[in-house]
Amino acid sequence: MANDLKQEKMAGLKVLFATSEVAPLVKTGGLGDVSGALPAALCAIGVDVRVLVPGYRQVIAQLAQHEAVAEFDKLPDFPSARLLSGVMPNGVPLLVLDCPELYQRDGGPYQDAGGQDWSDNPLRFGLLSKIAAVLGGSASPLNWHPDLVHCNDWQTGLTPAYLHFEPGAVPSVITIHNMAFQGNFAPETVQELGLPPSCFGINGVEFHGYLSFLKAGLYYADHITTVSPNYAKEIQRAELGFGMQGLLSQRSGDLTGILNGIDTDEWNSATDKHLVKKFSAARMAGKAADKEYLQCRLGLDIVPDVPLLGVISRFTHQKGLDLLLEIAPRLIGLPVQLAMLGSGEAQMQQAAIELSYRYPGKVGVNIGFNEALAHQIEAGADMFIMPSRFEPCGLNQLYSQRYGTPPIVHSTGGLADSVVDCTAETLRDRTASGFVFKGMTAENLFVTIRRAVDLYHDQRQWKVLRKNCMAKDFSWEASAEAYRAVYLKLLGR
Ligand code: ADP
Ligand code: GLC
């Protein structure tokens, strides 16, 4: 009976998932991973999800088959565009917003090849937001009508605002993946993007004199989620609210923190195509071969017993790698080796490269974005370092636990929610899964890495820790259920 009721409530729950990146088609960070995996997990529990994404050059190139399903040539304020329907490699239906003059360019989704933001980003993501809203309104040209629109981060933050003014609009949910990126633009943008002047105020899209895409989403969405329970609390306070803590605490009754899951097919050390040797909790031997391969690939000394510390990251202030670079000389003396992959701020990249010149054989650095190497670091490293100043959720610490590579993390956001610090007690009760430090200082990071290195040399305890990590369940199922509960509540079902 209860099951019938559930089925009935579920019947035909349709969600438009609007996002600016979706792995594996286009990814600059965790948003891409989440947009690739969450819709699939929702489909698996019976939700009918379609993902809306801009038709960047690389997206169009990877669409095996597609069909034009709608034309938008009469939207005032926007260039003509069309919608192509396609399918993701994981089977999730895709709606690609094709507008060559806005999206088909060399470079990244948000920036040109030189790292400068595209100057027409307001128009590029204004159009994406607008189309998501049109599809959620009664004038949608599609036969498929969503029950709600789920948008993500500032790039689709205007959707709830457009929906507010759209006839017959469905409700909206916005997920905050990172409060630090807000999409704030000059006030004239309000008119340029066809928003009514009346919405430019504190009770609307304005944020300190600017049009803020994120603020618009947070103000107009019917529900707000973010990617960990801890971050949901942190963003209601001044330190991590990036100026929007007031609005978020006013709306705390409409704010839910749901921890991200991971794609357990993509991140599975027993089947990972990028690894020279596969391994699993029951058969760990392959991990040593993956370490040797990684050492070889990054020009590190081939030594099995020196702990190898992995880093995969955007090189930005958020990620706290400046602390790691500062203590690197002391770390090398412990001794440890360092394998770093990432790109971002030029100064940080330069500092990492200099470190590798200063410590040949001890520090290996690869500047760039490299999916295969990211998997190889997760597998080949002994520990994973993530000293983020703030971290809404973080995915690498989840991947690393699954790959038996205990993470060393700052106690913030989703890192605090997903890593259990190793102590005598947590080792005893088998909950320990990494090392967590409080207080964002280089010394605290150093002491914590040294604590991890000491434990590493106690092979019996280290094996226990690795086993605990690998036994944890970070699959998307539970989180997908939590999103579905948010949708159903919002729809009053
Ligand atoms: P964020 O989204 O803030 O960058 P997350 O930990 O949520 O942080 O997600 C980052 C994702 O991007 C992970 O899948 C990670 O492996 C990947 N990633 C980051 N930098 C690189 C890189 N240089 N090469 C390959 N993958 C990377
Ligand atoms: C953002 C956050 C990261 C999170 C990711 C996916 O990029 O910085 O912590 O894991 O989004 O939600």
Side-chain angles (χ1 to χ4, degrees):
M1 186 67 185
N3 252 351
D4 287 355
L5 199 64
K6 200 165 157 194
Q7 288 296 327
E8 197 179 299
K9 280 183 170 181
M10 274 288 307
L13 176 56
K14 297 197 282 295
V15 175
L16 178 67
F17 190 91
T19 180
S20 56
E21 51 184 278
V22 56
L25 304 182
V26 51
K27 157 174 162 181
T28 70
L31 172 61
D33 287 336
V34 172
S35 303
L38 171 59
L42 286 165
C43 286
I45 56 171
V47 183
D48 178 2
V49 188
R50 314 238 159 144
V51 175
L52 173 70
V53 69
Y56 309 114
R57 180 161 288 161
Q58 67 268 48
V59 169
I60 303 271
Q62 290 174 81
L63 272 185
Q65 282 188 326
H66 56 79
E67 186 196 344
V69 289
E71 297 267 350
F72 301 94
D73 49 11
K74 290 192 186 62
L75 286 178
D77 313 300
F78 293 102
S80 300
R82 35 176 216 158
L83 268 188
L84 309 176
S85 83
V87 182
M88 293 275 299
N90 62 13
V92 173
L94 196 60
L95 293 167
V96 174
L97 178 57
D98 183 31
C99 180
E101 66 181 276
L102 295 188
Y103 306 125
Q104 287 221 28
R105 325 176 158 166
D106 293 332
Y110 317 121
Q111 297 176 332
D112 63 21
Q116 289 300 313
D117 285 353
W118 296 112
S119 60
D120 56 354
N121 273 347
L123 186 62
R124 297 172 76 237
F125 297 109
L127 178 66
L128 179 64
S129 297
K130 176 74 185 179
I131 296 300
V134 171
L135 299 182
S138 55
S140 169
L142 297 186
N143 295 329
W144 180 87
H145 292 281
D147 296 303
L148 62 89
V149 180
H150 183 159
C151 39
N152 294 276
D153 272 351
W154 75 264
Q155 293 88 345
T156 46
L158 283 191
T159 301
Y162 284 126
L163 278 169
H164 183 77
F165 300 106
E166 187 77 24
V170 297
S172 60
V173 175
I174 185 164
T175 296
I176 307 167
H177 297 264
N178 197 333
M179 287 295 300
F181 302 106
Q182 304 186 333
N184 299 335
F185 301 104
E188 306 80 80
T189 320
V190 172
Q191 199 194 343
E192 287 162 14
L193 297 181
L195 285 161
S198 62
C199 72
F200 192 65
I202 184 154
N203 292 321
V205 304
E206 188 208 340
F207 183 60
H208 297 294
Y210 291 87
L211 159 65
S212 172
F213 277 48
L214 183 63
K215 158 84 191 293
L218 302 184
Y219 184 80
Y220 286 106
D222 296 282
H223 198 86
I224 304 167
T225 73
T226 189
V227 289
S228 68
N230 192 31
Y231 193 61
K233 290 190 210 134
E234 289 173 341
I235 56 179
Q236 296 180 51
R237 299 195 288 263
E239 306 87 77
L240 291 181
F242 288 87
M244 298 189 187
Q245 59 274 9
L247 173 59
L248 287 164
S249 40
Q250 266 167 34
R251 298 211 59 192
S252 62
D254 304 321
L255 170 61
T256 313
I258 302 174
L259 195 72
N260 285 333
I262 63 176
D263 183 330
T264 48
D265 292 331
E266 180 63 24
W267 295 93
N268 180 352
S269 59
T271 56
D272 192 328
K273 62 178 188 291
H274 301 296
L275 307 189
V276 283
K277 271 269 178 339
K278 327 262 185 249
F279 61 91
S280 63
R283 293 169 147 259
M284 283 301 285
K287 192 164 167 75
D290 289 317
K291 177 172 179 178
E292 189 177 324
Y293 173 82
L294 183 61
Q295 288 172 323
C296 198
R297 175 154 186 191
L298 292 179
L300 297 169
D301 300 337
I302 312 286
V303 279
D305 299 330
V306 173
L308 174 50
L309 277 47
V311 172
I312 305 160
S313 187
R314 290 185 286 114
F315 285 8
T316 62
H317 183 74
Q318 173 190 346
K319 301 293 178 177
L321 297 177
D322 46 318
L323 298 194
L324 182 66
L325 293 169
E326 188 183 327
I327 59 170
R330 288 167 76 198
L331 289 176
I332 304 301
L334 284 177
V336 303
Q337 295 182 332
L338 207 53
M340 296 180 77
L341 164 65
S343 62
E345 288 165 16
Q347 222 183 347
M348 228 182 260
Q349 290 186 176
Q350 193 51 34
I353 293 169
E354 275 166 21
L355 200 67
S356 69
Y357 289 158
R358 195 164 147 205
Y359 297 103
K362 314 277 184 274
V363 178
V365 172
N366 188 305
I367 301 294
F369 199 91
N370 188 325
E371 195 70 43
L373 184 56
H375 285 245
Q376 289 155 2
I377 291 178
E378 292 290 8
D382 294 300
M383 306 162 192
F384 193 87
I385 315 291
M386 230 167 144
S388 308
R389 289 195 161 76
F390 64 92
E391 195 62 77
C393 177
L395 296 172
N396 277 306
Q397 85 283 7
L398 306 180
Y399 302 146
S400 72
Q401 288 175 77
R402 190 136 203 267
Y403 278 51
T405 308
I408 298 173
V409 304
H410 178 218
S411 179
T412 184
L415 300 178
D417 278 339
S418 61
V419 183
V420 177
D421 188 39
C422 191
T423 62
E425 197 188 333
T426 58
L427 270 175
R428 216 175 309 117
D429 67 18
R430 309 235 157 191
T431 54
S433 70
F435 300 84
V436 184
F437 68 98
K438 294 201 165 115
M440 187 65 194
T441 66
E443 190 55 28
N444 289 343
L445 176 61
F446 178 75
V447 169
T448 308
I449 295 179
R450 197 175 51 196
R451 187 154 66 86
V453 169
D454 287 345
L455 196 87
Y456 172 87
H457 292 297
D458 178 345
Q459 279 297 307
R460 201 177 54 84
Q461 294 283 40
W462 192 256
K463 279 186 187 150
V464 170
L465 178 63
R466 264 193 341 208
K467 253 202 156 68
N468 295 349
C469 287
M470 297 177 88
K472 287 176 84 166
D473 179 7
F474 291 119
S475 62
W476 266 106
E477 275 101 59
S479 311
E481 286 290 356
Y483 279 100
R484 181 169 65 175
V486 166
Y487 301 155
L488 291 175
K489 186 161 174 229
L490 193 59
L491 296 169
R493 293 197 195 167

